[in-house]
């Protein structure tokens, strides 16, 4: 076990605040999904507006499917976990929305960057590239924090960050080869 540095303690404090929407399984999955969508939808010279629309609609559809499937699964868990009665549709839906929120929050940063392209704050191609690379950075941070929370040694945290970020790098490479 490694003692966290002052910087790591700051990262952990920030993570505690952001965790409900950002430091979850759904956030990792959502970040990978958004990275793939940015890479594929921008591969043929589309504008940041088209890419943003594609990302937003697809993420909302996947999020809705995730919420629905989570609700159905929670309704089917009767007696399996704690011998409790039916959780009720409203409770199952609420739990599923909370559990899936990270998928929506994962799209926030790339979508803001793409919006900067729409507003011509940066050129479209730059906005798309930054949106794509932001997914790599987010994944690296999520991987680092996961191993930091476990108390892993620094080199394990770095390795965890690199492996997690590699999912985003795959889409950067895909875009480079397809484009």
């Amino acid at each position: 076990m490694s003692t966290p540095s002052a910087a790591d303690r700051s990262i952990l404090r920030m993570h505690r605040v952001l965790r409900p929407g950002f430091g979850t399984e759904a956030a990792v999955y959502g970040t990978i999904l958004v990275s793939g969508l940015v890479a594929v939808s921008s591969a043929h010279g589309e504008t940041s507006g088209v890419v943003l629309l594609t990302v937003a609609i697809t993420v909302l559809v996947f999020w809705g499917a995730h919420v629905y499937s989570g609700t159905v699964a929670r309704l089917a868990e009767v007696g399996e976990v704690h011998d409790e009665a039916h959780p009720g549709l409203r409770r199952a839906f609420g739990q599923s929305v909370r559990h899936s929120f990270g998928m929506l929050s994962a799209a926030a940063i790339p979508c803001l960057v793409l919006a900067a392209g729409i507003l011509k704050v940066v050129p479209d191609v730059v906005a798309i590239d930054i949106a794509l690379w932001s997914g790599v950075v987010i994944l690296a941070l999520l991987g680092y924090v996961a191993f930091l929370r476990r108390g892993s040694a620094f080199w394990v945290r770095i390795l965890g960050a690199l492996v997690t970020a590699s999912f985003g790098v795959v889409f950067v490479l895909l875009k480079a080869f397809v484009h």
Side-chain angles (χ1 to χ4, degrees), residues 14-85:
M14 181 180 63
H15 182 261
R16 274 191 286 280
V17 171
L18 297 175
R19 181 157 171 61
F22 189 67
T24 63
E25 168 191 347
V28 173
Y29 176 76
T31 304
I32 294 169
L33 173 67
V34 169
S35 296
L37 290 167
V38 170
V40 171
S41 65
S42 68
H44 300 291
E46 279 75 3
T47 66
S48 53
V50 170
V51 175
L52 176 60
L53 189 62
T54 301
V55 168
I57 290 171
T58 306
V59 167
L60 285 172
V61 169
F62 270 77
W63 176 77
H66 202 263
V67 168
Y68 178 77
S69 62
T71 302
V72 170
R74 283 173 178 78
L75 289 173
E77 289 177 351
V78 176
E80 289 183 14
V81 181
H82 301 289
D83 262 348
E84 61 185 38

Side-chain angles (χ1 to χ4, degrees), residues 32 47 137 139-140 151 155 168:
I32 294 169
T47 66
V137 172
L139 287 167
W155 71 270

Side-chain angles (χ1 to χ4, degrees), residues 7 12 20-21 38 52 58 72 79 81 83 85 88 90 95 111-112 124-125 129-130 132 146-147 153 157 160:
L12 287 172
V38 170
L52 176 60
T58 306
V72 170
V81 181
D83 262 348
R90 190 174 310 187
Q95 289 172 339
C111 285
L112 286 173
D124 278 336
V125 72
D129 285 345
I130 293 172
L132 190 55
F147 286 94
R157 288 181 247 154

